[in-house]
Amino acid sequence: MSRRLDEGWLVFDSVENRQHDRCVDLFSRPDGSYGFEEFRRDPEDGGGWTPVAYHSAARFETAAAASAAATEQVPWLAEALTRR
């Protein structure tokens, strides 16, 4: 898990792009709020996921609101969701 995601947060969805080198995690927090974060995976990093933005600081009241914001802010995400 990324150093930008708290261990108490529950990732309920993880979506990768077609190349499998980008990922968005959608998560819930113990306080009932929701959020998301985008990650990249580079071969030189040993295949680990590295956060690429500071989206996890934003708080949303619903999972749907977090998902909608992620889709708006992460350019490749809408296409990846249509492939599911």
Side-chain angles (χ1 to χ4, degrees):
M1 185 174 287
S2 161
R3 61 191 168 274
R4 205 167 294 150
L5 294 185
D6 186 278
E7 290 182 18
W9 299 351
L10 175 66
V11 174
F12 61 86
D13 199 3
S14 188
V15 182
E16 290 187 33
N17 67 356
R18 191 178 297 269
Q19 297 78 17
H20 303 288
D21 63 354
R22 293 282 179 147
C23 172
V24 167
D25 284 351
L26 295 155
F27 58 85
S28 62
R29 297 181 184 93
D31 68 2
S33 67
Y34 295 85
F36 71 95
E37 186 58 85
E38 181 182 11
F39 302 91
R40 74 172 196 273
R41 178 169 41 196
D42 298 313
E44 60 270 15
D45 292 339
W49 290 104
T50 303
V52 297
Y54 288 90
H55 300 296
S56 61
R59 292 181 176 276
F60 303 91
E61 290 189 24
T62 66
S67 181
T71 302
E72 289 177 14
Q73 295 178 39
V74 179
W76 57 264
L77 185 58
E79 188 270 333
L81 289 169
T82 63
R83 289 185 289 112
R84 293 178 125 191

